[in-house]
Amino acid sequence: MSTAASPPGRPGRRPSTSRVELEKVAFRLFDRDGFDATTVDDIAKAAGIGRRTFFRYFDSKNDVVWGAFTDHLEYMRERFAARPEGEPVMESLRAVVVDFNRVDEGETDRHRRRLELILRVPALQAHSTLRYADWRAVVAEFAARRTGAHPGDLRPQAIAHAALGTALAAYEHWLGGQGSDLCAVLDTAFAELARGFEEESRCS
Amino acid sequence: MSTAASPPGRPGRRPSTSRVELEKVAFRLFDRDGFDATTVDDIAKAAGIGRRTFFRYFDSKNDVVWGAFTDHLEYMRERFAARPEGEPVMESLRAVVVDFNRVDEGETDRHRRRLELILRVPALQAHSTLRYADWRAVVAEFAARRTGAHPGDLRPQAIAHAALGTALAAYEHWLGGQGSDLCAVLDTAFAELARGFEEESRCS
DNA sequence: TTCCATTTGACACCGGGTGCCATTAATGTC
DNA sequence: GACATTAATGGCACCCGGTGTCAAATGGAA
């Protein structure tokens, strides 16, 4: 039961489980009891490992929810770099963000529960800020490069924040509505963002 | 030493201190030892109260930093309501946000240290999300009313997020630079925001 | 078998936060 | 002055997340 995917012929004892395995166990408990009511001890016990070991797989209980987010960020950075130089900023943004949120068919359910937790559980809302900051940094970096500014400057920062806000609003909409495609929602959301702000400062 | 401003002739024992008093004590310790290294016990001991009592004044250690923020939000809502109906959204926004950040001459130093903590200490960055959410809700509510949308809709949300991002960028700039006036920084920041996005979706 | 690298998990500890409850201090009444 | 009432206090035990330490378990290589 506890034999993990034993990696190649490397010396030393083999891990007794894996991040994904732990994630599955944890999500099952989160579904059943809620995030707050599930203790790390519960997860460890359900996974058949020691509490201490859990913290070797994840830095914190919060981190379980985020899966391989950090790795994905690097991918997002690459996608930005791959966009044609002349493309309007907002359009690149739309393409990359939509692509960033595309998940395998089988994963879409997990993705939904993931977002549900992140957006609804206060402890995770708080924690998510730190992750969002990294996400925004990638966006700001891109926006800065395109507009010839520094990532810390006002415009890139505002763009990054607005992009994040748009994505979050789209997530909310997707979670609220019944089953429409997330990518489609994001796509229209970012299209509206570009149009929206264009009018914004002109009319009432 | 511990006699607080004894309120009127109300029955029952009088509070032995006050939120502001505790805040002062705490900030002194934060300055000296840093936020993380300062325990609640330290604060309680320095204030001459029990640890348990501390948590009757503040819901959490994090909350100490935020002072009367929640009360201020109601004031901000009023200011929005007081803006002339025909004024451009971005302009109302600028006026209100700038006004919201105006503090008494004597308080400006505390305000600075407050922002410094919120923006730099990870634990507080995370916690701040929950406060920002309330702030954004007020902005989104206003933006929605003006544009005839729902606060949860995309445009108000994007505006609120962009406004928050702009404010944060301005704070950062203010903290980094030497002593220029915060309100001035915010003012130009929001002016740029309106101009910036106007060009944004048109050029590269 | 021996050596070495690696993971494991038990244990003790810290710090934030909460429920409980007896105690203390203030008021007003008889 | 004795008494109930009201409110704040603070000690205590407890939960939970997170960390440092260290001996033991595991498996490959010599």
Side-chain angles (χ1 to χ4, degrees), chain A residues 66-74 100 130-132 134-135:
Chain A
W66 285 89
F69 178 80
T70 314
D71 301 343
H72 286 357
L73 272 191
E74 195 43 51
F100 182 74
L130 307 174
R131 303 315 191 97
Y132 292 162
D134 295 337
W135 189 92

Side-chain angles (χ1 to χ4, degrees), chain A:
Chain A
M1 193 223 257
S2 64
T3 21
S6 32
R10 207 183 53 219
R13 181 176 179 170
R14 272 163 307 183
S16 61
T17 181
S18 65
R19 286 177 65 99
V20 276
E21 189 55 41
L22 275 182
E23 202 183 302
K24 279 182 197 162
V25 172
F27 267 74
R28 210 174 310 139
L29 294 179
F30 293 162
D31 276 350
R32 202 188 58 185
D33 305 330
F35 181 84
D36 289 324
T38 304
T39 71
V40 172
D41 283 280
D42 292 338
I43 303 173
K45 189 167 297 180
I49 63 170
R51 165 194 162 73
R52 191 61 183 84
T53 301
F54 170 89
F55 285 108
R56 290 210 182 82
Y57 284 86
F58 296 96
D59 286 343
S60 73
K61 181 181 160 189
N62 294 328
D63 281 318
V64 176
V65 180
W66 285 89
F69 178 80
T70 314
D71 301 343
H72 286 357
L73 272 191
E74 195 43 51
Y75 170 72
M76 184 160 105
R77 191 175 272 118
E78 289 170 17
R79 300 296 298 184
F80 271 130
R83 302 305 300 182
E85 197 66 35
E87 189 177 49
V89 173
M90 286 304 187
E91 201 155 322
S92 307
L93 204 50
R94 179 166 63 105
V96 171
V97 172
V98 168
D99 186 65
F100 182 74
N101 279 272
R102 202 178 302 280
V103 294
D104 295 347
E105 189 72 31
E107 282 294 307
T108 159
D109 185 54
R110 179 105 51 100
H111 195 51
R112 185 181 204 98
R113 284 185 294 162
R114 205 188 291 280
L115 288 178
E116 218 153 331
L117 287 170
I118 293 171
L119 294 182
R120 309 253 186 267
V121 179
L124 291 172
Q125 289 175 4
H127 180 76
S128 61
T129 302
L130 307 174
R131 303 315 191 97
Y132 292 162
D134 295 337
W135 189 92
R136 271 190 279 111
V138 173
V139 174
E141 183 192 303
F142 164 75
R145 197 167 53 244
R146 278 293 179 80
T147 62
H150 294 282
D153 287 348
L154 187 75
R155 179 111 47 110
Q157 287 293 317
I159 291 177
H161 268 96
L164 177 61
T166 304
L168 292 179
Y171 290 154
E172 287 282 8
H173 182 268
W174 180 61
L175 287 178
Q178 40 270 36
S180 44
D181 180 35
L182 174 58
C183 288
V185 175
L186 274 168
D187 195 73
T188 63
F190 273 85
E192 273 190 43
L193 176 67
R195 258 195 313 113
F197 267 109
E198 197 171 0
E199 305 165 10
E200 197 47 54
S201 41
R202 197 159 21 259
C203 68
S204 78

